[in-house]
Amino acid sequence: RESVFVSANAKCTDVYVEEGDEIQAGAPLCHLDMTDTLSSLETATTNYNNALKSYQDQEALFDAQIALAEKTVSDTMKSYQDQEALFDAQIALAEKNVRDLKALLEIGAAAQAEIDQAELNLQNLQTSKSSALTQLEAGIQNAQTNIQSLQVSKTSALTQLETGMQTTQISIDQL
């Protein structure tokens, strides 16, 4: 006499043998109604597939946001270099203008007021350069901080989704 155990949550609706019957290997012993188990499996599978889709969507969204932030850093660095080169050229020209006016002043062909104005223009350019580059540096720093924040958020969100998927997979495996 042997006992038969079913590892699934099922109802036995028909029994095809009686105690003491001789049976052959593979012969059906009973009919099991697996409706509840199959329904649970279908629900768990749907939940898993939804979690997987959510994981993929979140990963793609974070990757897109990180790529955009990285492009912002790259574009801002390029703008920094361009602005620096432009200001350097303007400052070099303004310095030359001051030197030329001083030389003209020595021979009486320029007034001190012209030199004062040229020196003021030079100072204004130097101040503008410093201000513009400081703003661009702050923009680069903010974008880099944003990238780091997005990477941390991505890791956290995906870890949570992975945990949910693992829990659902365990439920499926137990059915």
Side-chain angles (χ1 to χ4, degrees):
R1 175 180 172 150
E2 298 277 333
S3 295
V4 176
F5 294 97
V6 178
S7 64
N9 182 17
K11 295 177 187 171
C12 181
T13 57
D14 289 317
V15 178
Y16 303 131
V17 296
E18 293 185 18
E19 189 173 333
D21 285 353
E22 205 169 295
I23 56 170
Q24 294 188 354
L29 304 177
C30 66
H31 178 263
L32 298 176
D33 181 357
M34 302 284 291
T35 304
D36 291 344
T37 299
L38 293 175
S39 176
S40 295
L41 177 62
E42 184 177 322
T43 299
T45 301
T46 298
N47 290 343
Y48 181 84
N49 289 336
N50 289 341
L52 179 61
K53 175 78 169 101
S54 179
Y55 180 95
Q56 292 166 338
D57 290 347
Q58 287 292 314
E59 185 174 38
L61 177 63
F62 277 113
D63 288 346
Q65 289 174 334
I66 290 169
L68 180 60
E70 288 172 342
K71 183 173 180 350
T72 299
V73 168
S74 175
D75 290 349
T76 306
M77 290 175 101
K78 173 77 169 96
S79 180
Y80 181 97
Q81 293 167 345
D82 292 347
Q83 289 291 317
E84 185 175 39
L86 178 63
F87 276 115
D88 287 346
Q90 290 174 338
I91 288 170
L93 185 60
E95 288 171 339
K96 181 182 180 317
N97 189 33
V98 168
R99 284 191 306 274
D100 290 349
L101 284 171
K102 285 181 179 181
L104 289 173
L105 179 66
E106 289 181 15
I107 61 171
Q112 182 63 43
E114 291 176 290
I115 295 173
D116 293 343
Q117 182 62 45
E119 288 176 337
L120 181 61
N121 288 343
L122 175 60
Q123 288 175 342
N124 287 340
L125 278 171
Q126 291 167 332
T127 300
S128 293
K129 174 186 176 183
S130 177
S131 175
L133 295 184
T134 298
Q135 288 177 356
L136 288 170
E137 287 168 357
I140 291 168
Q141 182 61 40
N142 286 340
Q144 289 172 331
T145 300
N146 186 35
I147 290 170
Q148 291 170 345
S149 175
L150 285 168
Q151 289 169 333
V152 168
S153 295
K154 175 185 175 182
T155 300
S156 175
L158 294 183
T159 298
Q160 288 177 353
L161 288 169
E162 286 172 359
T163 300
M165 288 169 51
Q166 289 169 352
T167 301
T168 304
Q169 185 62 51
I170 290 168
S171 296
I172 291 171
D173 292 345
Q174 291 174 348
L175 293 174

